[in-house]
mmCIF file of all heavy atoms in Angstrom:
data_model
loop_
_atom_site.group_PDB
_atom_site.id
_atom_site.type_symbol
_atom_site.label_atom_id
_atom_site.label_comp_id
_atom_site.label_asym_id
_atom_site.label_seq_id
_atom_site.Cartn_x
_atom_site.Cartn_y
_atom_site.Cartn_z
ATOM 1 N N PRO A 637 -26.221 85.301 -92.432
ATOM 2 C CA PRO A 637 -26.757 85.756 -91.152
ATOM 3 C C PRO A 637 -28.278 85.757 -91.163
ATOM 4 O O PRO A 637 -28.906 86.070 -92.182
ATOM 5 C CB PRO A 637 -26.226 87.177 -91.011
ATOM 6 C CG PRO A 637 -25.147 87.304 -92.006
ATOM 7 C CD PRO A 637 -25.413 86.315 -93.086
ATOM 8 N N GLU A 638 -28.835 85.420 -90.033
ATOM 9 C CA GLU A 638 -30.286 85.423 -89.893
ATOM 10 C C GLU A 638 -30.738 86.772 -89.360
ATOM 11 O O GLU A 638 -29.960 87.508 -88.758
ATOM 12 C CB GLU A 638 -30.698 84.306 -88.946
ATOM 13 C CG GLU A 638 -30.282 82.955 -89.499
ATOM 14 C CD GLU A 638 -30.546 81.828 -88.550
ATOM 15 O OE1 GLU A 638 -29.866 81.737 -87.531
ATOM 16 O OE2 GLU A 638 -31.454 81.044 -88.846
ATOM 17 N N PHE A 639 -31.987 87.079 -89.603
ATOM 18 C CA PHE A 639 -32.543 88.299 -89.035
ATOM 19 C C PHE A 639 -32.504 88.177 -87.517
ATOM 20 O O PHE A 639 -32.861 87.146 -86.954
ATOM 21 C CB PHE A 639 -33.989 88.502 -89.494
ATOM 22 C CG PHE A 639 -34.633 89.694 -88.842
ATOM 23 C CD1 PHE A 639 -34.355 90.968 -89.284
ATOM 24 C CD2 PHE A 639 -35.489 89.539 -87.764
ATOM 25 C CE1 PHE A 639 -34.920 92.078 -88.676
ATOM 26 C CE2 PHE A 639 -36.066 90.628 -87.148
ATOM 27 C CZ PHE A 639 -35.776 91.911 -87.613
ATOM 28 N N ASN A 640 -32.025 89.217 -86.863
ATOM 29 C CA ASN A 640 -31.971 89.227 -85.400
ATOM 30 C C ASN A 640 -32.313 90.639 -84.939
ATOM 31 O O ASN A 640 -31.513 91.553 -85.079
ATOM 32 C CB ASN A 640 -30.598 88.801 -84.897
ATOM 33 C CG ASN A 640 -30.571 88.604 -83.403
ATOM 34 O OD1 ASN A 640 -31.470 89.033 -82.680
ATOM 35 N ND2 ASN A 640 -29.530 87.953 -82.919
ATOM 36 N N ARG A 641 -33.491 90.803 -84.378
ATOM 37 C CA ARG A 641 -33.954 92.133 -83.970
ATOM 38 C C ARG A 641 -33.138 92.713 -82.819
ATOM 39 O O ARG A 641 -33.199 93.910 -82.553
ATOM 40 C CB ARG A 641 -35.436 92.090 -83.609
ATOM 41 C CG ARG A 641 -35.754 91.247 -82.408
ATOM 42 C CD ARG A 641 -37.256 91.166 -82.125
ATOM 43 N NE ARG A 641 -37.515 90.248 -81.043
ATOM 44 C CZ ARG A 641 -37.357 90.543 -79.757
ATOM 45 N NH1 ARG A 641 -36.967 91.739 -79.404
ATOM 46 N NH2 ARG A 641 -37.598 89.642 -78.835
ATOM 47 N N LEU A 642 -32.342 91.880 -82.139
ATOM 48 C CA LEU A 642 -31.538 92.354 -81.016
ATOM 49 C C LEU A 642 -30.092 92.659 -81.413
ATOM 50 O O LEU A 642 -29.285 93.028 -80.572
ATOM 51 C CB LEU A 642 -31.563 91.317 -79.880
ATOM 52 C CG LEU A 642 -32.952 91.044 -79.302
ATOM 53 C CD1 LEU A 642 -32.900 89.931 -78.281
ATOM 54 C CD2 LEU A 642 -33.551 92.306 -78.695
ATOM 55 N N ARG A 643 -29.761 92.532 -82.678
ATOM 56 C CA ARG A 643 -28.405 92.800 -83.154
ATOM 57 C C ARG A 643 -28.107 94.288 -83.030
ATOM 58 O O ARG A 643 -28.896 95.125 -83.460
ATOM 59 C CB ARG A 643 -28.274 92.358 -84.606
ATOM 60 C CG ARG A 643 -26.863 92.508 -85.158
ATOM 61 C CD ARG A 643 -26.776 92.041 -86.604
ATOM 62 N NE ARG A 643 -27.054 90.613 -86.698
ATOM 63 C CZ ARG A 643 -27.918 90.087 -87.562
ATOM 64 N NH1 ARG A 643 -28.593 90.833 -88.411
ATOM 65 N NH2 ARG A 643 -28.113 88.777 -87.587
ATOM 66 N N VAL A 644 -26.932 94.621 -82.476
ATOM 67 C CA VAL A 644 -26.533 96.022 -82.304
ATOM 68 C C VAL A 644 -25.168 96.296 -82.941
ATOM 69 O O VAL A 644 -24.556 97.331 -82.666
ATOM 70 C CB VAL A 644 -26.527 96.427 -80.808
ATOM 71 C CG1 VAL A 644 -27.932 96.413 -80.242
ATOM 72 C CG2 VAL A 644 -25.589 95.548 -79.992
ATOM 73 N N SER A 645 -24.719 95.392 -83.782
ATOM 74 C CA SER A 645 -23.422 95.553 -84.450
ATOM 75 C C SER A 645 -23.572 95.147 -85.908
ATOM 76 O O SER A 645 -24.562 94.524 -86.284
ATOM 77 C CB SER A 645 -22.374 94.653 -83.787
ATOM 78 O OG SER A 645 -22.609 93.291 -84.132
ATOM 79 N N PRO A 646 -22.568 95.445 -86.708
ATOM 80 C CA PRO A 646 -22.544 94.838 -88.034
ATOM 81 C C PRO A 646 -22.378 93.321 -87.875
ATOM 82 O O PRO A 646 -22.021 92.844 -86.804
ATOM 83 C CB PRO A 646 -21.294 95.433 -88.693
ATOM 84 C CG PRO A 646 -20.869 96.558 -87.828
ATOM 85 C CD PRO A 646 -21.438 96.325 -86.468
ATOM 86 N N VAL A 647 -22.598 92.586 -88.940
ATOM 87 C CA VAL A 647 -22.359 91.144 -88.956
ATOM 88 C C VAL A 647 -21.032 90.908 -89.668
ATOM 89 O O VAL A 647 -20.787 91.472 -90.731
ATOM 90 C CB VAL A 647 -23.498 90.406 -89.686
ATOM 91 C CG1 VAL A 647 -23.190 88.922 -89.805
ATOM 92 C CG2 VAL A 647 -24.816 90.619 -88.967
ATOM 93 N N CYS A 648 -20.183 90.104 -89.082
ATOM 94 C CA CYS A 648 -18.909 89.760 -89.710
ATOM 95 C C CYS A 648 -19.182 88.870 -90.907
ATOM 96 O O CYS A 648 -19.817 87.829 -90.779
ATOM 97 C CB CYS A 648 -18.015 89.044 -88.703
ATOM 98 S SG CYS A 648 -16.478 88.468 -89.413
ATOM 99 N N GLN A 649 -18.720 89.275 -92.080
ATOM 100 C CA GLN A 649 -18.991 88.558 -93.326
ATOM 101 C C GLN A 649 -17.764 87.906 -93.942
ATOM 102 O O GLN A 649 -17.870 87.250 -94.962
ATOM 103 C CB GLN A 649 -19.591 89.528 -94.348
ATOM 104 C CG GLN A 649 -20.939 90.057 -93.970
ATOM 105 C CD GLN A 649 -22.045 89.019 -94.164
ATOM 106 O OE1 GLN A 649 -21.902 88.065 -94.896
ATOM 107 N NE2 GLN A 649 -23.146 89.225 -93.485
ATOM 108 N N SER A 650 -16.577 88.060 -93.377
ATOM 109 C CA SER A 650 -15.375 87.517 -94.005
ATOM 110 C C SER A 650 -15.318 86.002 -93.866
ATOM 111 O O SER A 650 -15.826 85.427 -92.909
ATOM 112 C CB SER A 650 -14.121 88.152 -93.403
ATOM 113 O OG SER A 650 -14.049 87.871 -92.025
ATOM 114 N N LEU A 651 -14.686 85.358 -94.843
ATOM 115 C CA LEU A 651 -14.557 83.911 -94.820
ATOM 116 C C LEU A 651 -13.619 83.458 -93.708
ATOM 117 O O LEU A 651 -13.877 82.480 -93.022
ATOM 118 C CB LEU A 651 -14.042 83.411 -96.176
ATOM 119 C CG LEU A 651 -13.814 81.907 -96.281
ATOM 120 C CD1 LEU A 651 -15.116 81.154 -96.046
ATOM 121 C CD2 LEU A 651 -13.228 81.562 -97.641
ATOM 122 N N ASN A 652 -12.531 84.172 -93.520
ATOM 123 C CA ASN A 652 -11.544 83.851 -92.486
ATOM 124 C C ASN A 652 -11.502 85.002 -91.495
ATOM 125 O O ASN A 652 -11.134 86.114 -91.858
ATOM 126 C CB ASN A 652 -10.166 83.648 -93.110
ATOM 127 C CG ASN A 652 -10.164 82.531 -94.127
ATOM 128 O OD1 ASN A 652 -10.523 81.410 -93.810
ATOM 129 N ND2 ASN A 652 -9.802 82.837 -95.358
ATOM 130 N N SER A 653 -11.858 84.715 -90.269
ATOM 131 C CA SER A 653 -11.896 85.782 -89.269
ATOM 132 C C SER A 653 -11.478 85.238 -87.917
ATOM 133 O O SER A 653 -11.416 84.030 -87.697
ATOM 134 C CB SER A 653 -13.312 86.368 -89.184
ATOM 135 O OG SER A 653 -14.244 85.357 -88.866
ATOM 136 N N PHE A 654 -11.181 86.153 -87.010
ATOM 137 C CA PHE A 654 -10.869 85.780 -85.635
ATOM 138 C C PHE A 654 -11.424 86.852 -84.710
ATOM 139 O O PHE A 654 -11.646 87.991 -85.124
ATOM 140 C CB PHE A 654 -9.359 85.575 -85.420
ATOM 141 C CG PHE A 654 -8.533 86.814 -85.618
ATOM 142 C CD1 PHE A 654 -8.231 87.646 -84.549
ATOM 143 C CD2 PHE A 654 -8.053 87.154 -86.883
ATOM 144 C CE1 PHE A 654 -7.465 88.789 -84.727
ATOM 145 C CE2 PHE A 654 -7.284 88.297 -87.068
ATOM 146 C CZ PHE A 654 -6.994 89.114 -85.987
ATOM 147 N N ALA A 655 -11.667 86.465 -83.478
ATOM 148 C CA ALA A 655 -12.227 87.392 -82.486
ATOM 149 C C ALA A 655 -11.287 87.508 -81.300
ATOM 150 O O ALA A 655 -10.589 86.559 -80.947
ATOM 151 C CB ALA A 655 -13.596 86.897 -82.023
ATOM 152 N N CYS A 656 -11.287 88.681 -80.695
ATOM 153 C CA CYS A 656 -10.494 88.947 -79.491
ATOM 154 C C CYS A 656 -11.358 89.682 -78.479
ATOM 155 O O CYS A 656 -12.225 90.486 -78.851
ATOM 156 C CB CYS A 656 -9.294 89.841 -79.809
ATOM 157 S SG CYS A 656 -8.115 89.113 -80.943
ATOM 158 N N LEU A 657 -11.106 89.415 -77.223
ATOM 159 C CA LEU A 657 -11.678 90.192 -76.123
ATOM 160 C C LEU A 657 -10.526 90.902 -75.445
ATOM 161 O O LEU A 657 -9.561 90.252 -75.031
ATOM 162 C CB LEU A 657 -12.368 89.295 -75.097
ATOM 163 C CG LEU A 657 -13.676 88.659 -75.482
ATOM 164 C CD1 LEU A 657 -14.185 87.772 -74.345
ATOM 165 C CD2 LEU A 657 -14.712 89.698 -75.817
ATOM 166 N N ASP A 658 -10.614 92.200 -75.340
ATOM 167 C CA ASP A 658 -9.590 92.990 -74.662
ATOM 168 C C ASP A 658 -10.269 93.653 -73.468
ATOM 169 O O ASP A 658 -11.267 94.360 -73.632
ATOM 170 C CB ASP A 658 -9.025 94.040 -75.627
ATOM 171 C CG ASP A 658 -7.914 94.862 -75.001
ATOM 172 O OD1 ASP A 658 -7.293 94.399 -74.018
ATOM 173 O OD2 ASP A 658 -7.668 95.976 -75.486
ATOM 174 N N ILE A 659 -9.745 93.399 -72.289
ATOM 175 C CA ILE A 659 -10.359 93.945 -71.074
ATOM 176 C C ILE A 659 -9.393 94.931 -70.434
ATOM 177 O O ILE A 659 -8.249 94.583 -70.140
ATOM 178 C CB ILE A 659 -10.710 92.830 -70.073
ATOM 179 C CG1 ILE A 659 -11.637 91.815 -70.731
ATOM 180 C CG2 ILE A 659 -11.339 93.419 -68.811
ATOM 181 C CD1 ILE A 659 -11.837 90.541 -69.937
ATOM 182 N N GLN A 660 -9.857 96.144 -70.251
ATOM 183 C CA GLN A 660 -9.088 97.138 -69.496
ATOM 184 C C GLN A 660 -9.705 97.202 -68.110
ATOM 185 O O GLN A 660 -10.835 97.677 -67.948
ATOM 186 C CB GLN A 660 -9.136 98.511 -70.167
ATOM 187 C CG GLN A 660 -8.363 99.544 -69.362
ATOM 188 C CD GLN A 660 -8.259 100.876 -70.064
ATOM 189 O OE1 GLN A 660 -8.096 100.938 -71.275
ATOM 190 N NE2 GLN A 660 -8.338 101.948 -69.286
ATOM 191 N N TRP A 661 -8.982 96.706 -67.119
ATOM 192 C CA TRP A 661 -9.519 96.602 -65.764
ATOM 193 C C TRP A 661 -9.425 97.904 -64.986
ATOM 194 O O TRP A 661 -10.288 98.215 -64.175
ATOM 195 C CB TRP A 661 -8.776 95.515 -64.985
ATOM 196 C CG TRP A 661 -9.004 94.142 -65.513
ATOM 197 C CD1 TRP A 661 -8.130 93.384 -66.232
ATOM 198 C CD2 TRP A 661 -10.191 93.352 -65.375
ATOM 199 N NE1 TRP A 661 -8.695 92.175 -66.551
ATOM 200 C CE2 TRP A 661 -9.962 92.127 -66.031
ATOM 201 C CE3 TRP A 661 -11.422 93.561 -64.762
ATOM 202 C CZ2 TRP A 661 -10.913 91.120 -66.083
ATOM 203 C CZ3 TRP A 661 -12.368 92.552 -64.819
ATOM 204 C CH2 TRP A 661 -12.105 91.349 -65.473
ATOM 205 N N GLU A 662 -8.344 98.641 -65.197
ATOM 206 C CA GLU A 662 -8.061 99.812 -64.378
ATOM 207 C C GLU A 662 -8.547 101.102 -65.038
ATOM 208 O O GLU A 662 -8.447 101.250 -66.248
ATOM 209 C CB GLU A 662 -6.551 99.926 -64.124
ATOM 210 C CG GLU A 662 -5.936 98.706 -63.452
ATOM 211 C CD GLU A 662 -6.474 98.457 -62.066
ATOM 212 O OE1 GLU A 662 -6.758 99.436 -61.345
ATOM 213 O OE2 GLU A 662 -6.634 97.270 -61.700
ATOM 214 N N GLN A 663 -9.028 102.005 -64.221
ATOM 215 C CA GLN A 663 -9.367 103.335 -64.728
ATOM 216 C C GLN A 663 -8.080 104.129 -64.860
ATOM 217 O O GLN A 663 -7.192 104.045 -64.009
ATOM 218 C CB GLN A 663 -10.332 104.039 -63.777
ATOM 219 C CG GLN A 663 -10.739 105.404 -64.289
ATOM 220 C CD GLN A 663 -12.011 105.909 -63.653
ATOM 221 O OE1 GLN A 663 -12.849 105.127 -63.238
ATOM 222 N NE2 GLN A 663 -12.140 107.210 -63.587
ATOM 223 N N THR A 664 -7.984 104.880 -65.931
ATOM 224 C CA THR A 664 -6.830 105.748 -66.141
ATOM 225 C C THR A 664 -7.339 107.183 -66.227
ATOM 226 O O THR A 664 -8.546 107.429 -66.204
ATOM 227 C CB THR A 664 -6.091 105.392 -67.452
ATOM 228 O OG1 THR A 664 -6.947 105.703 -68.559
ATOM 229 C CG2 THR A 664 -5.697 103.924 -67.484
ATOM 230 N N ALA A 665 -6.424 108.110 -66.392
ATOM 231 C CA ALA A 665 -6.817 109.510 -66.553
ATOM 232 C C ALA A 665 -7.567 109.712 -67.866
ATOM 233 O O ALA A 665 -8.304 110.681 -68.014
ATOM 234 C CB ALA A 665 -5.581 110.409 -66.508
ATOM 235 N N GLN A 666 -7.392 108.778 -68.812
ATOM 236 C CA GLN A 666 -8.011 108.932 -70.124
ATOM 237 C C GLN A 666 -9.203 108.004 -70.368
ATOM 238 O O GLN A 666 -9.948 108.211 -71.321
ATOM 239 C CB GLN A 666 -6.990 108.649 -71.243
ATOM 240 C CG GLN A 666 -5.839 109.613 -71.304
ATOM 241 C CD GLN A 666 -4.756 109.292 -70.281
ATOM 242 O OE1 GLN A 666 -4.576 108.163 -69.885
ATOM 243 N NE2 GLN A 666 -4.055 110.327 -69.840
ATOM 244 N N ASP A 667 -9.389 106.960 -69.545
ATOM 245 C CA ASP A 667 -10.392 105.966 -69.895
ATOM 246 C C ASP A 667 -10.928 105.242 -68.664
ATOM 247 O O ASP A 667 -10.294 105.217 -67.615
ATOM 248 C CB ASP A 667 -9.783 104.943 -70.862
ATOM 249 C CG ASP A 667 -10.794 104.400 -71.841
ATOM 250 O OD1 ASP A 667 -12.000 104.637 -71.668
ATOM 251 O OD2 ASP A 667 -10.376 103.728 -72.798
ATOM 252 N N VAL A 668 -12.095 104.632 -68.851
ATOM 253 C CA VAL A 668 -12.733 103.853 -67.788
ATOM 254 C C VAL A 668 -12.565 102.363 -68.091
ATOM 255 O O VAL A 668 -12.325 101.979 -69.245
ATOM 256 C CB VAL A 668 -14.244 104.196 -67.671
ATOM 257 C CG1 VAL A 668 -14.433 105.645 -67.269
ATOM 258 C CG2 VAL A 668 -14.991 103.870 -68.952
ATOM 259 N N PRO A 669 -12.711 101.493 -67.079
ATOM 260 C CA PRO A 669 -12.628 100.054 -67.330
ATOM 261 C C PRO A 669 -13.678 99.620 -68.357
ATOM 262 O O PRO A 669 -14.829 100.065 -68.306
ATOM 263 C CB PRO A 669 -12.912 99.441 -65.957
ATOM 264 C CG PRO A 669 -12.488 100.498 -64.977
ATOM 265 C CD PRO A 669 -12.848 101.794 -65.645
ATOM 266 N N HIS A 670 -13.261 98.745 -69.283
ATOM 267 C CA HIS A 670 -14.170 98.324 -70.351
ATOM 268 C C HIS A 670 -13.735 96.996 -70.947
ATOM 269 O O HIS A 670 -12.613 96.536 -70.732
ATOM 270 C CB HIS A 670 -14.257 99.395 -71.451
ATOM 271 C CG HIS A 670 -12.972 99.631 -72.158
ATOM 272 N ND1 HIS A 670 -12.053 100.549 -71.722
ATOM 273 C CD2 HIS A 670 -12.433 99.063 -73.275
ATOM 274 C CE1 HIS A 670 -11.013 100.555 -72.523
ATOM 275 N NE2 HIS A 670 -11.215 99.651 -73.484
ATOM 276 N N LEU A 671 -14.636 96.424 -71.698
ATOM 277 C CA LEU A 671 -14.381 95.221 -72.494
ATOM 278 C C LEU A 671 -14.546 95.619 -73.951
ATOM 279 O O LEU A 671 -15.520 96.289 -74.296
ATOM 280 C CB LEU A 671 -15.396 94.141 -72.104
ATOM 281 C CG LEU A 671 -15.369 92.842 -72.891
ATOM 282 C CD1 LEU A 671 -15.764 91.700 -71.973
ATOM 283 C CD2 LEU A 671 -16.326 92.885 -74.063
ATOM 284 N N MET A 672 -13.595 95.234 -74.787
ATOM 285 C CA MET A 672 -13.684 95.497 -76.222
ATOM 286 C C MET A 672 -13.750 94.154 -76.946
ATOM 287 O O MET A 672 -12.877 93.303 -76.777
ATOM 288 C CB MET A 672 -12.470 96.288 -76.719
ATOM 289 C CG MET A 672 -12.487 96.588 -78.210
ATOM 290 S SD MET A 672 -13.764 97.745 -78.704
ATOM 291 C CE MET A 672 -12.996 99.275 -78.215
ATOM 292 N N PHE A 673 -14.813 93.968 -77.725
ATOM 293 C CA PHE A 673 -14.985 92.778 -78.559
ATOM 294 C C PHE A 673 -14.598 93.172 -79.965
ATOM 295 O O PHE A 673 -15.156 94.106 -80.529
ATOM 296 C CB PHE A 673 -16.442 92.318 -78.509
ATOM 297 C CG PHE A 673 -16.777 91.126 -79.363
ATOM 298 C CD1 PHE A 673 -16.140 89.914 -79.188
ATOM 299 C CD2 PHE A 673 -17.774 91.215 -80.324
ATOM 300 C CE1 PHE A 673 -16.474 88.799 -79.961
ATOM 301 C CE2 PHE A 673 -18.129 90.113 -81.099
ATOM 302 C CZ PHE A 673 -17.477 88.909 -80.916
ATOM 303 N N GLU A 674 -13.627 92.474 -80.506
ATOM 304 C CA GLU A 674 -13.102 92.825 -81.823
ATOM 305 C C GLU A 674 -13.085 91.583 -82.711
ATOM 306 O O GLU A 674 -12.582 90.537 -82.302
ATOM 307 C CB GLU A 674 -11.689 93.375 -81.666
ATOM 308 C CG GLU A 674 -11.038 93.819 -82.918
ATOM 309 C CD GLU A 674 -9.685 94.473 -82.665
ATOM 310 O OE1 GLU A 674 -9.275 94.638 -81.497
ATOM 311 O OE2 GLU A 674 -9.029 94.803 -83.659
ATOM 312 N N VAL A 675 -13.660 91.700 -83.887
ATOM 313 C CA VAL A 675 -13.614 90.634 -84.882
ATOM 314 C C VAL A 675 -12.931 91.206 -86.108
ATOM 315 O O VAL A 675 -13.310 92.274 -86.595
ATOM 316 C CB VAL A 675 -15.029 90.112 -85.236
ATOM 317 C CG1 VAL A 675 -14.943 89.004 -86.283
ATOM 318 C CG2 VAL A 675 -15.752 89.619 -83.991
ATOM 319 N N ARG A 676 -11.906 90.492 -86.596
ATOM 320 C CA ARG A 676 -11.135 90.972 -87.736
ATOM 321 C C ARG A 676 -11.109 89.933 -88.852
ATOM 322 O O ARG A 676 -11.127 88.735 -88.600
ATOM 323 C CB ARG A 676 -9.697 91.271 -87.323
ATOM 324 C CG ARG A 676 -9.580 92.516 -86.479
ATOM 325 C CD ARG A 676 -8.113 92.881 -86.241
ATOM 326 N NE ARG A 676 -8.041 94.154 -85.570
ATOM 327 C CZ ARG A 676 -7.899 95.313 -86.193
ATOM 328 N NH1 ARG A 676 -7.800 95.369 -87.496
ATOM 329 N NH2 ARG A 676 -7.854 96.437 -85.503
ATOM 330 N N ASP A 677 -11.036 90.440 -90.064
ATOM 331 C CA ASP A 677 -10.804 89.603 -91.240
ATOM 332 C C ASP A 677 -9.363 89.106 -91.132
ATOM 333 O O ASP A 677 -8.431 89.898 -91.071
ATOM 334 C CB ASP A 677 -11.012 90.439 -92.505
ATOM 335 C CG ASP A 677 -10.818 89.643 -93.774
ATOM 336 O OD1 ASP A 677 -9.824 88.894 -93.884
ATOM 337 O OD2 ASP A 677 -11.666 89.782 -94.672
ATOM 338 N N ALA A 678 -9.175 87.795 -91.070
ATOM 339 C CA ALA A 678 -7.838 87.228 -90.888
ATOM 340 C C ALA A 678 -6.944 87.429 -92.116
ATOM 341 O O ALA A 678 -5.723 87.434 -91.993
ATOM 342 C CB ALA A 678 -7.935 85.741 -90.553
ATOM 343 N N ASP A 679 -7.541 87.597 -93.285
ATOM 344 C CA ASP A 679 -6.745 87.771 -94.500
ATOM 345 C C ASP A 679 -6.235 89.202 -94.646
ATOM 346 O O ASP A 679 -5.078 89.417 -94.976
ATOM 347 C CB ASP A 679 -7.561 87.371 -95.729
ATOM 348 C CG ASP A 679 -7.925 85.892 -95.705
ATOM 349 O OD1 ASP A 679 -7.077 85.075 -95.283
ATOM 350 O OD2 ASP A 679 -9.060 85.558 -96.079
ATOM 351 N N SER A 680 -7.089 90.169 -94.391
ATOM 352 C CA SER A 680 -6.694 91.565 -94.593
ATOM 353 C C SER A 680 -6.329 92.275 -93.289
ATOM 354 O O SER A 680 -5.702 93.315 -93.316
ATOM 355 C CB SER A 680 -7.839 92.339 -95.255
ATOM 356 O OG SER A 680 -8.917 92.495 -94.343
ATOM 357 N N GLY A 681 -6.771 91.722 -92.168
ATOM 358 C CA GLY A 681 -6.552 92.386 -90.881
ATOM 359 C C GLY A 681 -7.563 93.476 -90.588
ATOM 360 O O GLY A 681 -7.531 94.094 -89.534
ATOM 361 N N ALA A 682 -8.472 93.712 -91.514
ATOM 362 C CA ALA A 682 -9.460 94.787 -91.347
ATOM 363 C C ALA A 682 -10.452 94.442 -90.237
ATOM 364 O O ALA A 682 -10.932 93.308 -90.153
ATOM 365 C CB ALA A 682 -10.207 95.023 -92.652
ATOM 366 N N PRO A 683 -10.777 95.428 -89.407
ATOM 367 C CA PRO A 683 -11.785 95.178 -88.372
ATOM 368 C C PRO A 683 -13.176 95.078 -88.993
ATOM 369 O O PRO A 683 -13.523 95.845 -89.886
ATOM 370 C CB PRO A 683 -11.667 96.399 -87.461
ATOM 371 C CG PRO A 683 -11.082 97.468 -88.311
ATOM 372 C CD PRO A 683 -10.230 96.783 -89.341
ATOM 373 N N GLU A 684 -13.955 94.120 -88.535
ATOM 374 C CA GLU A 684 -15.332 93.973 -88.987
ATOM 375 C C GLU A 684 -16.313 94.328 -87.885
ATOM 376 O O GLU A 684 -17.389 94.831 -88.163
ATOM 377 C CB GLU A 684 -15.570 92.550 -89.482
ATOM 378 C CG GLU A 684 -14.752 92.252 -90.726
ATOM 379 C CD GLU A 684 -15.379 91.194 -91.587
ATOM 380 O OE1 GLU A 684 -16.610 91.073 -91.613
ATOM 381 O OE2 GLU A 684 -14.608 90.481 -92.237
#
């Protein structure tokens, strides 16, 4: 990874990984609409 002064997350370091976008459109009694960006290690399943 290169230095990036605008980075606001950890950097994914796993050799095998995948990313998902999960969008919750509707407001519920427990949560507001949001987008979740998730990157996981494909070998262990651990979130990065």
Side-chain angles (χ1 to χ4, degrees):
E638 299 175 290
F639 175 78
N640 188 345
R641 65 183 175 79
L642 298 175
R643 184 179 296 131
V644 293
S645 73
V647 175
C648 176
Q649 294 285 340
S650 61
L651 178 61
N652 301 303
S653 58
F654 64 92
C656 297
L657 288 178
D658 182 22
I659 303 169
Q660 179 174 322
W661 294 106
E662 302 296 325
Q663 182 160 333
T664 67
Q666 296 81 28
D667 212 349
V668 296
H670 64 271
L671 176 147
M672 179 68 79
F673 178 59
E674 182 175 357
V675 180
R676 288 187 173 266
D677 181 314
D679 296 321
S680 70
E684 294 207 31

